[in-house]
Amino acid sequence: MVWLSSVGLSIGLLMIATLLTIIVVNGLEVFWPKRVVQVQISDASGAQLAHAKTVAGEITKQQEKTHEAKPGGGPAPTEWQLYVGNKDAYGLSFLYLNRDAITGTAYPKDLLKMERVEYGNALGYPLRLQTADGATIEANDPAFRSRLAALNREANSRRHQIAHIERDEIGKVNARMGGLKLDEKGLASDSPQFQALQAKMDKLQAKYEILAKQAGDLRQRQGQDRLTYRLPTGAEKTMPLGQLVSFYYPNQLGLLDRLGWFFYRIWHFLVDEPREANTEGGVFPAIFGTCVMTVLMSVAVMPFGVLAAIYLREYARQGFFVRAVRVAVNNLAGVPSIVFGVFGLGFFVYMVGGTMDQIFFSKSLPTPTFGTGGVLWAALTLALMTVPVVIVATEEALAAVPRGMREGSLACGASKWQTIQHIVLPSALPGILTGLILAMARGAGEVAPLMMVGVVKLAPSLPIDATFPYVHLERKFMHLGFHIYDLGFQSPDSEAAKPMVFATTLLLIILVVALNLGAILLRERIRRKYRLGAF
């Protein structure tokens, strides 16, 4: 029996290690800058790309076509999957080639890989740089690379300025104008209050036009510097530098350069916003939304679960009713999560949120404020889903407190509540935090209920920002779990989205581990504190 148990444990650990290894390897591979190979396709082969027999790309997969194995046991033909980029020119990002159809390979040093704002990456040979002042710098000019890098930094800086103006500055103006329009409702157009509000509105409109002109001028400037390059298939393309995010020569990088690009891409994956239907760019809004939702869920579930457990263990008379409640709590933990989503949509969103809109935000109706999905309702729905975990863990922790400690406290004249407050709860706190850790782990990884109560594919604003009142619990939000689902099952290009699926999955695991690690450290600190206090 012991051997059977150890074999079962070993199989389970092996499966977990294998799964984590696959996720870590594929997730980190996304950020490693690969070499780009240029291949020559044989004329006899029917394969081609954009009517050309010369193509270039990163080798993303090599696989045997076992279904085409030769009779008699001969080796199966090998197939390469190449990431060729230039989706705007080719209409695809990946090309499959039989290895037998390739007559030659090369790794050209002057091939440039360009990350763009739109249409993914581009691969090509730079030809010339045309600047806004009319100057032209050829690619063989020694100053070409440094000048391209300087113009790229300027374009990225302008892009950040545009985002700041349009999202932050204009966003604040629009929010204030929206508030004034609500205040104008019901006022006569010739009343002094209406005229005062209209004057404020005119000032905000003037400020809006100034900001919009600044953003427009910057956008126009983004298109004045241009890079001309030649595709591996022979066609020439010209790209405004405002579209260029970064660039490097993949076949010139040494090990240290690759490590530098590896960490650079990880950093921008963490802090940038998503682009191209979430298949490019970063995941910062999803990280932020996941953290905010998990913290709100923890704040909601902790007191409710602990109070329920204290009542059941310390005050309720043990009998049929309490046993029935415990059975119901245990069964609640097994209810499918989507059922909680339906309940959250009906109770929190439509009933509670709709009532709040009727009472506090009637001027905004028929546009709902809290009567639609948001981070608050998502957190409360997950809190309801995870509260059985906290109740069960807290009850077990309360039951584990030695009876002698309670009786000693009562014998000294303390009341029952004083005994619970100063003796029982501190001793049970490590066990209570264990329940919270389990609740956070489950809540952070849930997706199904969130799809009904507030999570979205792309949220233009964060739940917490610099706009008054700073915390916006009614806003929809992005979530890493839903981001993975969206990339894996809703993306128009599943092959292009696959690397981001692994990278985001790895990030979600790291985030959950980090949250749990923080709670575990807090639990151990409390455990040591009260262990020492006993002496």
Side-chain angles (χ1 to χ4, degrees), residues 40 42 45 70 75-79 97-103:
Q40 185 67 39
S42 67
S45 170
K70 297 177 181 177
T78 303
E79 183 183 56
L97 285 176
N98 285 336
R99 183 65 183 86
D100 297 340
I102 299 174
T103 59

Side-chain angles (χ1 to χ4, degrees), residues 3-49:
W3 285 102
L4 189 62
S5 302
S6 62
V7 169
L9 177 63
S10 301
I11 293 174
L13 292 176
L14 181 63
M15 292 173 65
I16 294 173
T18 304
L19 176 63
L20 290 177
T21 302
I22 291 173
I23 293 173
V24 169
V25 170
N26 287 278
L28 293 180
E29 187 186 17
V30 176
F31 307 107
W32 186 256
K34 298 176 182 173
R35 301 177 73 193
V36 176
V37 61
Q38 178 176 291
V39 301
Q40 185 67 39
I41 306 172
S42 67
D43 294 335
S45 170
Q48 61 179 5
L49 181 63

Side-chain angles (χ1 to χ4, degrees), residues 78-127:
T78 303
E79 183 183 56
W80 283 9
Q81 183 195 50
L82 292 178
Y83 173 70
V84 295
N86 303 312
K87 191 174 181 180
D88 53 331
Y90 303 150
L92 52 84
S93 298
F94 292 88
L95 179 67
Y96 289 88
L97 285 176
N98 285 336
R99 183 65 183 86
D100 297 340
I102 299 174
T103 59
T105 61
Y107 291 88
K109 298 287 187 184
D110 57 340
L111 189 63
L112 190 65
K113 182 173 182 179
M114 297 161 280
E115 182 185 1
R116 300 180 294 182
V117 175
E118 296 176 343
Y119 300 111
N121 298 325
L123 297 173
Y125 300 93
L127 297 177

